[in-house]
Amino acid sequence: MSSSPMRKVSLRNLAAHKVRLALTVLSVVLGTAFVAGSFVFTDTLQKTFDSIVDSEATGVDVRVSSVEQHSSGVPVAAVETIRGVDGVRAVAPYAGGPIVVLNSAGKPMQNGGAPSFGSSYLPPDQQLGEPAEFVVGTPPEQAGQIALNDGAANRAGLAVGDQTQVLTRDGPNDVTVSGIYALENDAGGYVEALFTDAQARQLFTDGNHVAYIDVAASGISPNELRDRVAQALPDTKVQTGAEVREEAKDEITEALSFINYFLLAFGAIALLVGTFIIYNTFSMIVAQRLRELALLRAIGAGRTQIGRSVAFEALVIGVIGSALGLAAGVGLAYGLRSLLNAFDIGLPGGALQVAPRTTVVALVLGVLVTVVSAYAPARRAAKVPPVAAMREESVSAGDTLKVRTLIGVVAAAGGVIALVAGSRSTGGGAAATVGLGAFALVLAVLLAAPALSRPVVGALGAVFARPFGPVGRLARTNAIRNPKRTAATAFALTLGLMLVSLIGVLGASAKSSVNALVDTGVEADFVLTPFEVSDPHWGLGVQTKAAEAAEGVDGVEEAVRLHPVMVAIDDEDATGTAFSGPPDAVLEYEMKEGSASVTGSNMLVAESEAAKRGWNLGTPVTLVSRDGEPVMTTVTGIYADNQLLGSWVVSGDVYHEVTPQNMAFIVGVLIKATPGADLATMAADLAAATDPFGAVQVQDREQFKGTQAQQIDTLLAVLYGLLALAVVIAILGIVNTLALSVVERRREIGMLRAVGMQRVQVRRTIYIESVLIAVFGALVGVVLGVVFGWGFVRTLADQGLDQIAVPWGQVLAMLIGSGVVGVLAALWPAARAARTKPLEAIADV
């Protein structure tokens, strides 16, 4: 028999089973959609950010900046030096820094995490690029005036002539909106307020430096001018405008790569779950078609032709599913962007980008997964002898479980050993070992699940099915008589709930660790923090004047400011912590050696950091500031590792010596009340004292813990939302399997109906069978997830996750929910089974 008739048979078979085709295609669609959507989403962001970057440094031939980020900047004296370089046409210094604009209601404008900057405005004759296009009003002409980009003005509800405040790190500044200007790609919550050059330098610099200096060339190339300026200013970073834009693009690409990997990981999970559904589907399809395929063998079709026939069906399904998945991926990317914008993440707008690479990857991946999933069933179909396949009885697969179960047991033993070994230490190597053990255990479950399903499902059946009498016993028998099918169906749900449980354990442990850290380590009664969690490099933090106001409130015994310290030690970047007052007044920690006093040039060091660097009491340590200035300190105390203190601690005096004035940042203020003070009254007084500064919140310890827990819950919600796709695919897999199972058992169901089984009993049988499969998959997944979560949390003990917590309520909810899922997944297959006509089913040969 030629291959052409076989292809016709395959196509007619697909057309004859439209429901089965639709369910199989849907599993491919969902898996490929997430992968395609991930690429479309990140490509769109990349394109939008690239277009924004392309407008950066327009008209600029050379930019001069400081070698180190977050330094004081470029000395103002460099402006005259640059002007003296041959080939320079114009020079434009820039000053700017982080701000918060109060909206028309006097509240901090929420920009969703997008940058919010104040910048110096230069008159058109001093600007190097195209001057800003003012939609209405005029540029700022005197101190106290600002111009806003139109997106920010609309978001804040501000118009020309409106008075508001702009918050800087020092405090609030009264301003009047003098104008609103158009900004290319003005979307996503970006804020840029233009000040006069003089006021910008006053607000954002120390008076002796600017952020960078832009230069325009006259008669020479940008590269030549760059070299000349670099020779005149050897201690600065000199780049052409093109190099500035390219560097910005590289930074954006690196930042977006994490998002892409993150989304692709969930896409891979969805695709993996879909793979098992596709495999299970083709296995059942082949089993149901054995007599048909045997008849084809009997009339001349060869083994190779039979195998190719099944593979061809998979190819058709893969092509259709991948094409639909690509289209669904575009919709998914659009929906994901809309969802994030609804949460006010601050993403810029832009047309969705479908790159050729996305199309190729989605199509190839979907087709490849589908064909590979169908390979094993195709081989089995080709190997079955025609005469054997034409027999009524099905071939038992029980004897084929021995080898795979043995391999599964060996993999499980290796996985447990790796998991336990990795959990005994911390760091990346330990996490990798735990990950290897987790992979081995998942593989073990995949191989041994058929053998495991019989006793577990049997036990579950004894509990859930017993109240339903003979119907329950029949459902239990149906669930365990084909363990391979039961295991393959349940495994998709196992993977989904394993990941949900793993993330749940990590989240619960993180919240528990934070609570324990605050309960045992924080002795302060109140914590002063910014309303928004800011990047310590660019955010406002707690404004200096707000801290001063809080320190003057009645009942305050100690108010200690907390600063992040960024320096170099032994030519390596290092980050520590600085306190403006005695940390032992507001924090609880254990001293191993020396004094707890942090004053002057004293330094306290964590025990592990001291061991790593070979520091002891009396060791001199040189801290080099971002401006390259050395500051000498001496180790006067060694404390037990403490997440609140970090690697090392210095005084506020040292902090201000090593931190440029324009980069000084207060991450929080820890406030200790005098004994006997009325804490409720103090909380109200602190709130009233800091309220004029707009972007500060006062929290007691319980409120502070609640804020941290809320941030963890927000992250978990995003992860659960992405994992929901894998769970949805798993549920569809159960629907698919049950529907195919009903087709496979058509004659059996007809016989049962003929001897008196009612339609409601048929439906109930399918419901119970589905519940048993779903609960089995959920139970295995939850156990694996909790075990893996325990292992990974143990490896993160050095990062502050020193408490292991299991969200038992969530675990119970998932097990109960899996039972509900089982019933819902069985509704349609059960209805189909109940509609089976006895005589037609019995006569169906």
Side-chain angles (χ1 to χ4, degrees):
M1 183 176 286
S2 68
S3 58
S4 181
M6 291 300 296
R7 281 199 294 269
K8 290 180 181 179
V9 170
S10 298
L11 292 174
R12 288 177 179 176
N13 181 67
L14 289 173
H17 301 88
K18 294 181 177 61
V19 173
R20 187 171 68 195
L21 173 64
L23 288 171
T24 312
V25 166
L26 186 59
S27 64
V28 183
V29 169
L30 289 171
T32 54
F34 212 109
V35 175
S38 300
F39 279 123
V40 172
F41 180 75
T42 52
D43 285 346
T44 300
L45 284 183
Q46 182 74 59
K47 179 68 174 178
T48 306
F49 280 120
D50 283 350
S51 65
I52 294 173
V53 170
D54 286 338
S55 63
E56 169 74 7
T58 54
V60 174
D61 292 313
V62 169
R63 174 167 290 177
V64 181
S65 57
S66 59
V67 175
E68 291 287 345
Q69 286 188 328
H70 316 309
S71 67
S72 296
V74 183
V76 174
V79 173
E80 293 305 318
T81 303
I82 295 171
R83 285 199 175 106
V85 173
D86 189 27
V88 170
R89 177 177 62 82
V91 181
Y94 169 88
I99 61 169
V100 170
V101 177
L102 300 190
N103 61 22
S104 57
K107 300 297 182 182
M109 190 176 80
Q110 303 298 314
N111 59 338
S116 180
F117 279 99
S119 307
S120 55
Y121 175 79
L122 297 177
D125 60 336
Q126 297 179 32
Q127 295 180 27
L128 304 188
E130 290 294 324
E133 177 188 348
F134 275 78
V135 179
V136 62
T138 61
E141 298 175 350
Q142 60 187 23
Q145 291 184 337
I146 63 166
L148 280 175
N149 58 301
D150 49 4
N154 292 333
R155 198 177 180 93
L158 296 173
V160 172
D162 287 349
Q163 294 182 336
T164 185
Q165 286 188 326
V166 172
L167 310 180
T168 62
R169 284 177 176 171
D170 287 333
N173 301 270
D174 295 324
V175 295
T176 301
V177 179
S178 66
I180 297 173
Y181 65 97
L183 190 65
E184 192 175 355
N185 302 304
D186 189 4
Y190 178 74
V191 178
E192 186 170 6
L194 303 179
F195 295 81
T196 63
D197 184 52
Q199 187 171 20
R201 294 195 192 195
Q202 175 193 347
L203 293 174
F204 306 119
T205 75
D206 58 4
N208 298 316
H209 298 79
V210 290
Y212 55 80
I213 302 171
D214 286 336
V215 188
S218 175
I220 61 174
S221 69
N223 288 345
E224 188 174 353
L225 180 59
R226 175 199 60 198
D227 296 340
R228 292 181 183 182
V229 173
Q231 187 174 5
L233 296 169
D235 295 329
T236 60
K237 181 179 181 180
V238 185
Q239 299 170 287
T240 64
E243 289 171 341
V244 170
R245 289 188 289 272
E246 194 59 36
E247 183 178 72
K249 284 184 180 180
D250 290 342
E251 291 175 355
I252 290 171
T253 300
E254 184 177 354
L256 291 180
S257 66
F258 171 76
I259 299 175
N260 202 19
Y261 295 146
F262 184 76
L263 292 175
L264 286 176
F266 284 92
I269 292 166
L271 202 59
L272 180 63
V273 173
T275 298
F276 283 101
I277 294 173
I278 298 167
Y279 173 81
N280 201 26
T281 299
F282 274 99
S283 296
M284 295 186 69
I285 290 172
V286 170
Q288 293 172 16
R289 294 176 56 200
L290 278 181
R291 297 183 69 194
E292 170 195 329
L293 296 175
L295 181 60
L296 291 172
R297 289 284 309 281
I299 62 176
R303 287 186 176 184
T304 303
Q305 289 177 310
I306 295 296
R308 286 178 179 174
S309 172
V310 178
F312 179 70
E313 291 183 24
L315 178 63
V316 173
I317 290 172
V319 171
I320 296 173
S322 300
L324 294 176
L326 176 62
V330 176
L332 186 65
Y334 179 82
L336 181 59
R337 187 174 65 178
S338 300
L339 177 64
L340 293 177
N341 285 336
F343 279 97
D344 208 14
I345 302 299
L347 296 176
L352 292 178
Q353 302 294 314
V354 183
R357 177 256 290 138
T358 302
T359 303
V360 172
V361 169
L363 292 176
V364 171
L365 196 60
V367 171
L368 187 65
V369 165
T370 308
V371 173
V372 170
S373 298
Y375 175 72
R379 285 191 63 205
R380 284 201 303 272
K383 287 182 177 180
V384 176
V387 176
M390 288 183 186
R391 294 173 183 164
E392 279 295 318
E393 66 272 11
S394 59
V395 180
S396 174
D399 56 345
T400 65
L401 297 181
K402 295 179 181 178
V403 175
R404 64 181 290 171
T405 302
L406 181 61
I407 297 174
V409 170
V410 173
V416 170
I417 292 172
L419 190 69
V420 173
S423 66
R424 290 180 178 273
S425 57
T426 59
T433 303
V434 170
L436 182 63
F439 175 78
L441 283 172
V442 171
L443 182 63
V445 169
L446 174 63
L447 294 172
L452 182 66
S453 68
R454 281 176 168 164
V456 175
V457 173
L460 290 173
V463 175
F464 293 109
R466 185 182 296 275
F468 298 96
V471 170
R473 289 196 297 273
L474 179 61
R476 175 174 176 269
T477 301
N478 287 339
I480 62 177
R481 71 176 177 178
N482 193 333
K484 282 187 176 180
R485 185 176 66 205
T486 296
T489 305
F491 189 72
L493 191 60
T494 294
L495 282 179
L497 293 189
M498 176 195 75
L499 293 167
V500 171
S501 302
L502 169 61
I503 291 173
V505 171
L506 291 175
S509 299
K511 287 190 281 189
S512 180
S513 297
V514 169
N515 289 344
L517 189 63
V518 174
D519 288 338
T520 61
V522 177
E523 293 188 337
D525 297 295
F526 299 98
V527 182
L528 208 63
T529 59
F531 266 115
E532 297 291 336
V533 178
S534 305
D535 180 346
H537 303 158
W538 297 115
L540 287 183
V542 176
Q543 298 146 283
T544 304
K545 291 182 179 178
E548 292 172 352
E551 290 164 359
V553 169
D554 289 340
V556 173
E557 181 179 17
E558 289 285 355
V560 181
R561 303 178 191 181
L562 179 63
H563 308 276
V565 189
M566 302 171 62
V567 295
I569 299 177
D570 297 332
D571 296 325
E572 294 181 356
D573 288 342
T575 303
T577 311
F579 292 91
S580 64
D584 55 346
V586 289
L587 299 177
E588 176 69 28
Y589 53 95
E590 178 187 357
M591 292 300 300
K592 293 292 187 179
E593 297 181 65
S595 168
S597 174
V598 187
T599 57
S601 61
N602 292 353
M603 172 187 271
L604 306 185
V605 184
E607 191 173 23
S608 62
E609 184 74 6
K612 184 178 76 172
R613 293 185 178 272
W615 291 346
N616 299 296
L617 293 182
T619 300
V621 179
T622 303
L623 308 181
V624 181
S625 74
R626 293 297 188 187
D627 289 334
E629 298 296 329
V631 175
M632 295 300 299
T633 61
T634 303
V635 176
T636 57
I638 297 175
Y639 55 86
D641 289 2
N642 188 298
Q643 291 294 318
L644 293 171
L645 296 181
S647 298
W648 44 268
V649 174
V650 293
S651 68
D653 294 336
V654 171
Y655 174 74
H656 289 294
E657 283 189 73
V658 299
T659 305
Q661 176 185 324
N662 59 314
M663 289 293 159
F665 182 88
I666 304 173
V667 73
V669 181
L670 301 172
I671 298 174
K672 179 74 172 177
T674 55
D678 186 334
L679 296 184
T681 301
M682 268 194 73
D685 291 345
L686 286 168
T690 56
D691 183 64
F693 304 98
V696 178
Q697 59 183 345
V698 178
Q699 297 178 314
D700 60 26
R701 279 182 291 195
E702 290 303 314
Q703 291 169 329
F704 181 73
K705 289 191 295 185
T707 300
Q708 307 307 307
Q710 185 177 10
Q711 293 171 15
I712 295 171
D713 287 338
T714 300
L715 176 61
L716 293 181
V718 174
L719 297 177
Y720 288 147
L722 294 172
L723 281 175
L725 181 65
V727 177
V728 168
I729 296 173
I731 294 171
L732 289 173
I734 297 175
V735 175
N736 199 357
T737 302
L738 288 175
L740 292 171
S741 176
V742 167
V743 174
E744 182 182 355
R745 303 202 303 261
R746 178 175 167 81
R747 296 187 68 200
E748 173 190 320
I749 294 171
M751 290 287 292
L752 292 172
R753 293 276 287 114
V755 298
M757 178 175 273
Q758 301 298 313
R759 288 187 174 183
V760 64
Q761 292 176 309
V762 173
R763 286 196 295 268
R764 193 172 297 158
T765 302
I766 305 298
Y767 294 155
I768 297 171
E769 179 183 351
S770 179
V771 168
L772 292 177
I773 293 173
V775 172
F776 166 66
L779 188 63
V780 176
V782 166
V783 170
L784 287 177
V786 170
V787 171
F788 296 165
W790 167 82
F792 281 115
V793 170
R794 289 285 299 268
T795 68
L796 294 170
D798 61 335
Q799 301 298 317
L801 265 71
D802 53 358
Q803 301 289 319
I804 298 177
V806 177
W808 293 113
Q810 177 182 316
V811 168
L812 181 61
M814 283 191 292
L815 292 176
I816 294 175
S818 64
V820 176
V821 162
V823 174
L824 295 177
L827 290 177
W828 177 57
R832 288 192 68 191
R835 289 197 298 267
T836 301
K837 296 179 180 180
L839 295 180
E840 289 183 6
I842 295 171
D844 188 14
V845 179

